[in-house]
PDB file of all heavy atoms in Angstrom:
ATOM      1  N   SER A 785      -8.789  17.907   0.876  1.00  0.00           N
ATOM      2  CA  SER A 785      -7.472  18.422   1.202  1.00  0.00           C
ATOM      3  C   SER A 785      -7.045  19.636   0.358  1.00  0.00           C
ATOM      4  O   SER A 785      -6.070  20.259   0.826  1.00  0.00           O
ATOM      5  CB  SER A 785      -6.424  17.296   1.021  1.00  0.00           C
ATOM      6  OG  SER A 785      -6.686  16.207   1.935  1.00  0.00           O
ATOM      7  N   HIS A 796      -3.643  35.298  -1.221  1.00  0.00           N
ATOM      8  CA  HIS A 796      -2.429  35.926  -1.419  1.00  0.00           C
ATOM      9  C   HIS A 796      -2.342  36.331  -2.965  1.00  0.00           C
ATOM     10  O   HIS A 796      -1.354  36.960  -3.362  1.00  0.00           O
ATOM     11  CB  HIS A 796      -1.297  34.998  -1.118  1.00  0.00           C
ATOM     12  CG  HIS A 796      -1.013  34.871   0.360  1.00  0.00           C
ATOM     13  ND1 HIS A 796      -1.762  34.118   1.180  1.00  0.00           N
ATOM     14  CD2 HIS A 796      -0.176  35.643   1.229  1.00  0.00           C
ATOM     15  CE1 HIS A 796      -1.305  34.175   2.367  1.00  0.00           C
ATOM     16  NE2 HIS A 796      -0.389  35.065   2.451  1.00  0.00           N
ATOM     17  N   ASN A 801      -0.266  39.260  -7.580  1.00  0.00           N
ATOM     18  CA  ASN A 801      -0.646  39.248  -8.989  1.00  0.00           C
ATOM     19  C   ASN A 801      -0.614  37.758  -9.594  1.00  0.00           C
ATOM     20  O   ASN A 801       0.040  37.513 -10.639  1.00  0.00           O
ATOM     21  CB  ASN A 801       0.301  40.095  -9.820  1.00  0.00           C
ATOM     22  CG  ASN A 801      -0.369  40.390 -11.170  1.00  0.00           C
ATOM     23  OD1 ASN A 801      -1.512  40.447 -11.446  1.00  0.00           O
ATOM     24  ND2 ASN A 801       0.534  40.648 -12.166  1.00  0.00           N
ATOM     25  N   LYS A 832      -6.805  12.426 -17.837  1.00  0.00           N
ATOM     26  CA  LYS A 832      -6.534  11.379 -18.968  1.00  0.00           C
ATOM     27  C   LYS A 832      -6.764  11.971 -20.412  1.00  0.00           C
ATOM     28  O   LYS A 832      -6.520  11.288 -21.314  1.00  0.00           O
ATOM     29  CB  LYS A 832      -7.439  10.169 -18.766  1.00  0.00           C
ATOM     30  CG  LYS A 832      -7.060   9.458 -17.463  1.00  0.00           C
ATOM     31  CD  LYS A 832      -7.999   8.300 -17.235  1.00  0.00           C
ATOM     32  CE  LYS A 832      -7.572   7.532 -15.934  1.00  0.00           C
ATOM     33  NZ  LYS A 832      -8.517   6.441 -15.579  1.00  0.00           N
ATOM     34  N   ALA A 843       0.188  26.189 -19.908  1.00  0.00           N
ATOM     35  CA  ALA A 843      -0.355  27.565 -19.654  1.00  0.00           C
ATOM     36  C   ALA A 843      -0.013  27.983 -18.292  1.00  0.00           C
ATOM     37  O   ALA A 843      -0.145  29.204 -17.944  1.00  0.00           O
ATOM     38  CB  ALA A 843      -1.840  27.634 -19.924  1.00  0.00           C
ATOM     39  N   ILE A 858       1.962  11.021 -13.732  1.00  0.00           N
ATOM     40  CA  ILE A 858       1.421  11.513 -15.052  1.00  0.00           C
ATOM     41  C   ILE A 858       1.601  13.091 -15.103  1.00  0.00           C
ATOM     42  O   ILE A 858       1.998  13.642 -16.102  1.00  0.00           O
ATOM     43  CB  ILE A 858      -0.107  11.180 -15.156  1.00  0.00           C
ATOM     44  CG1 ILE A 858      -0.294   9.679 -15.041  1.00  0.00           C
ATOM     45  CG2 ILE A 858      -0.679  11.782 -16.398  1.00  0.00           C
ATOM     46  CD1 ILE A 858      -1.722   9.266 -14.968  1.00  0.00           C
ATOM     47  N   SER A 877       7.567   8.630  -5.031  1.00  0.00           N
ATOM     48  CA  SER A 877       7.699   7.154  -5.510  1.00  0.00           C
ATOM     49  C   SER A 877       9.007   7.071  -6.239  1.00  0.00           C
ATOM     50  O   SER A 877       9.690   8.032  -6.624  1.00  0.00           O
ATOM     51  CB  SER A 877       6.500   7.082  -6.539  1.00  0.00           C
ATOM     52  OG  SER A 877       6.609   7.874  -7.636  1.00  0.00           O
ATOM     53  N   LEU A 883      12.920  11.053 -12.072  1.00  0.00           N
ATOM     54  CA  LEU A 883      12.856  12.320 -12.812  1.00  0.00           C
ATOM     55  C   LEU A 883      13.830  13.303 -12.271  1.00  0.00           C
ATOM     56  O   LEU A 883      13.906  14.387 -12.813  1.00  0.00           O
ATOM     57  CB  LEU A 883      11.431  12.819 -12.887  1.00  0.00           C
ATOM     58  CG  LEU A 883      10.279  11.926 -13.231  1.00  0.00           C
ATOM     59  CD1 LEU A 883       8.960  12.520 -13.232  1.00  0.00           C
ATOM     60  CD2 LEU A 883      10.525  11.355 -14.720  1.00  0.00           C
ATOM     61  N   LYS A 924      20.516   9.628  20.397  1.00  0.00           N
ATOM     62  CA  LYS A 924      20.539   8.178  20.806  1.00  0.00           C
ATOM     63  C   LYS A 924      19.090   7.667  20.493  1.00  0.00           C
ATOM     64  O   LYS A 924      19.022   6.340  20.124  1.00  0.00           O
ATOM     65  CB  LYS A 924      20.827   8.030  22.229  1.00  0.00           C
ATOM     66  CG  LYS A 924      22.223   8.474  22.736  1.00  0.00           C
ATOM     67  CD  LYS A 924      23.237   7.611  22.088  1.00  0.00           C
ATOM     68  CE  LYS A 924      24.663   7.874  22.561  1.00  0.00           C
ATOM     69  NZ  LYS A 924      25.719   7.017  21.956  1.00  0.00           N
ATOM     70  N   VAL A 934     -10.554  12.311  16.797  1.00  0.00           N
ATOM     71  CA  VAL A 934     -11.710  13.228  16.889  1.00  0.00           C
ATOM     72  C   VAL A 934     -11.418  14.119  18.208  1.00  0.00           C
ATOM     73  O   VAL A 934     -10.816  13.645  19.241  1.00  0.00           O
ATOM     74  CB  VAL A 934     -13.058  12.458  17.079  1.00  0.00           C
ATOM     75  CG1 VAL A 934     -12.922  11.481  18.332  1.00  0.00           C
ATOM     76  CG2 VAL A 934     -14.230  13.316  17.225  1.00  0.00           C
ATOM     77  N   HIS A 976      -0.111  -9.518  12.341  1.00  0.00           N
ATOM     78  CA  HIS A 976      -1.011 -10.046  13.327  1.00  0.00           C
ATOM     79  C   HIS A 976      -0.551  -9.846  14.758  1.00  0.00           C
ATOM     80  O   HIS A 976      -1.278 -10.065  15.699  1.00  0.00           O
ATOM     81  CB  HIS A 976      -1.083 -11.604  13.036  1.00  0.00           C
ATOM     82  CG  HIS A 976       0.135 -12.356  13.477  1.00  0.00           C
ATOM     83  ND1 HIS A 976       1.125 -12.519  12.580  1.00  0.00           N
ATOM     84  CD2 HIS A 976       0.363 -13.118  14.516  1.00  0.00           C
ATOM     85  CE1 HIS A 976       2.071 -13.351  13.144  1.00  0.00           C
ATOM     86  NE2 HIS A 976       1.666 -13.685  14.343  1.00  0.00           N
ATOM     87  N   THR A 988       0.146  17.186  26.710  1.00  0.00           N
ATOM     88  CA  THR A 988      -0.508  18.150  27.742  1.00  0.00           C
ATOM     89  C   THR A 988      -1.789  18.674  27.169  1.00  0.00           C
ATOM     90  O   THR A 988      -1.826  19.114  26.018  1.00  0.00           O
ATOM     91  CB  THR A 988       0.405  19.229  28.024  1.00  0.00           C
ATOM     92  OG1 THR A 988       1.632  18.782  28.565  1.00  0.00           O
ATOM     93  CG2 THR A 988      -0.154  20.246  29.092  1.00  0.00           C
ATOM     94  N   GLY A1009      19.496  11.588   8.354  1.00  0.00           N
ATOM     95  CA  GLY A1009      20.902  11.594   8.716  1.00  0.00           C
ATOM     96  C   GLY A1009      21.279  11.071  10.102  1.00  0.00           C
ATOM     97  O   GLY A1009      22.042  11.520  10.905  1.00  0.00           O
ATOM     98  N   GLY A1025      -7.147   1.766  24.365  1.00  0.00           N
ATOM     99  CA  GLY A1025      -8.109   0.736  24.247  1.00  0.00           C
ATOM    100  C   GLY A1025      -8.534   0.448  22.781  1.00  0.00           C
ATOM    101  O   GLY A1025      -9.148  -0.577  22.470  1.00  0.00           O
ATOM    102  N   LEU A1088     -17.349  -3.908  19.944  1.00  0.00           N
ATOM    103  CA  LEU A1088     -17.702  -4.685  18.768  1.00  0.00           C
ATOM    104  C   LEU A1088     -19.220  -4.721  18.499  1.00  0.00           C
ATOM    105  O   LEU A1088     -19.703  -4.564  17.363  1.00  0.00           O
ATOM    106  CB  LEU A1088     -17.188  -6.072  18.929  1.00  0.00           C
ATOM    107  CG  LEU A1088     -15.679  -6.265  18.889  1.00  0.00           C
ATOM    108  CD1 LEU A1088     -15.260  -7.626  19.340  1.00  0.00           C
ATOM    109  CD2 LEU A1088     -15.016  -5.799  17.671  1.00  0.00           C
ATOM    110  N   LEU A1091     -20.566  -1.493  16.979  1.00  0.00           N
ATOM    111  CA  LEU A1091     -20.474  -1.322  15.538  1.00  0.00           C
ATOM    112  C   LEU A1091     -21.496  -1.896  14.790  1.00  0.00           C
ATOM    113  O   LEU A1091     -21.795  -1.609  13.607  1.00  0.00           O
ATOM    114  CB  LEU A1091     -19.149  -2.092  15.118  1.00  0.00           C
ATOM    115  CG  LEU A1091     -17.842  -1.371  15.530  1.00  0.00           C
ATOM    116  CD1 LEU A1091     -16.670  -2.256  15.029  1.00  0.00           C
ATOM    117  CD2 LEU A1091     -17.752  -0.001  14.870  1.00  0.00           C
ATOM    118  N   LEU A1093     -22.065  -5.301  14.510  1.00  0.00           N
ATOM    119  CA  LEU A1093     -21.591  -6.641  13.946  1.00  0.00           C
ATOM    120  C   LEU A1093     -22.632  -7.767  14.206  1.00  0.00           C
ATOM    121  O   LEU A1093     -22.501  -8.823  13.554  1.00  0.00           O
ATOM    122  CB  LEU A1093     -20.289  -7.028  14.515  1.00  0.00           C
ATOM    123  CG  LEU A1093     -19.139  -6.226  13.937  1.00  0.00           C
ATOM    124  CD1 LEU A1093     -17.794  -6.603  14.720  1.00  0.00           C
ATOM    125  CD2 LEU A1093     -18.826  -6.544  12.490  1.00  0.00           C
ATOM    126  N   GLN A1111     -15.243  -1.758   6.125  1.00  0.00           N
ATOM    127  CA  GLN A1111     -15.207  -0.255   5.811  1.00  0.00           C
ATOM    128  C   GLN A1111     -16.656   0.293   5.803  1.00  0.00           C
ATOM    129  O   GLN A1111     -16.887   1.413   6.286  1.00  0.00           O
ATOM    130  CB  GLN A1111     -14.544  -0.070   4.462  1.00  0.00           C
ATOM    131  CG  GLN A1111     -14.506   1.469   4.044  1.00  0.00           C
ATOM    132  CD  GLN A1111     -13.712   1.701   2.793  1.00  0.00           C
ATOM    133  OE1 GLN A1111     -12.848   0.904   2.374  1.00  0.00           O
ATOM    134  NE2 GLN A1111     -14.110   2.716   2.115  1.00  0.00           N
ATOM    135  N   ILE A1145      14.355  16.025  24.403  1.00  0.00           N
ATOM    136  CA  ILE A1145      13.427  17.064  23.903  1.00  0.00           C
ATOM    137  C   ILE A1145      12.248  16.380  23.407  1.00  0.00           C
ATOM    138  O   ILE A1145      12.304  15.426  22.673  1.00  0.00           O
ATOM    139  CB  ILE A1145      14.088  17.868  22.732  1.00  0.00           C
ATOM    140  CG1 ILE A1145      15.246  18.723  23.274  1.00  0.00           C
ATOM    141  CG2 ILE A1145      13.122  18.746  22.083  1.00  0.00           C
ATOM    142  CD1 ILE A1145      16.103  19.470  22.170  1.00  0.00           C
ATOM    143  N   THR A1159     -11.606  20.552   8.214  1.00  0.00           N
ATOM    144  CA  THR A1159     -10.938  19.549   9.247  1.00  0.00           C
ATOM    145  C   THR A1159      -9.458  20.001   9.442  1.00  0.00           C
ATOM    146  O   THR A1159      -8.812  20.591   8.702  1.00  0.00           O
ATOM    147  CB  THR A1159     -10.948  18.143   8.697  1.00  0.00           C
ATOM    148  OG1 THR A1159     -10.198  17.999   7.492  1.00  0.00           O
ATOM    149  CG2 THR A1159     -12.452  17.769   8.347  1.00  0.00           C
ATOM    150  N   LEU A1194      13.676  24.956   3.062  1.00  0.00           N
ATOM    151  CA  LEU A1194      12.270  24.633   3.003  1.00  0.00           C
ATOM    152  C   LEU A1194      11.557  24.717   4.417  1.00  0.00           C
ATOM    153  O   LEU A1194      10.524  25.414   4.615  1.00  0.00           O
ATOM    154  CB  LEU A1194      11.948  23.268   2.420  1.00  0.00           C
ATOM    155  CG  LEU A1194      12.355  23.120   0.916  1.00  0.00           C
ATOM    156  CD1 LEU A1194      12.308  21.706   0.460  1.00  0.00           C
ATOM    157  CD2 LEU A1194      11.430  23.984  -0.023  1.00  0.00           C
ATOM    158  N   LYS A1208       1.371  25.108  15.923  1.00  0.00           N
ATOM    159  CA  LYS A1208       2.559  25.356  16.726  1.00  0.00           C
ATOM    160  C   LYS A1208       3.136  23.986  17.388  1.00  0.00           C
ATOM    161  O   LYS A1208       2.349  23.176  17.790  1.00  0.00           O
ATOM    162  CB  LYS A1208       2.172  26.223  18.003  1.00  0.00           C
ATOM    163  CG  LYS A1208       1.744  27.645  17.469  1.00  0.00           C
ATOM    164  CD  LYS A1208       1.235  28.469  18.709  1.00  0.00           C
ATOM    165  CE  LYS A1208       0.729  29.839  18.233  1.00  0.00           C
ATOM    166  NZ  LYS A1208       1.929  30.716  17.879  1.00  0.00           N
TER     167      LYS A1208
END
Side-chain angles (χ1 to χ4, degrees):
S785 295
H796 287 82
N801 196 29
K832 294 177 182 177
I858 300 170
S877 63
L883 307 181
K924 297 292 186 179
V934 58
H976 71 280
T988 303
L1088 297 173
L1091 288 179
L1093 285 169
Q1111 181 180 328
I1145 291 176
T1159 64
L1194 293 172
K1208 298 175 182 287

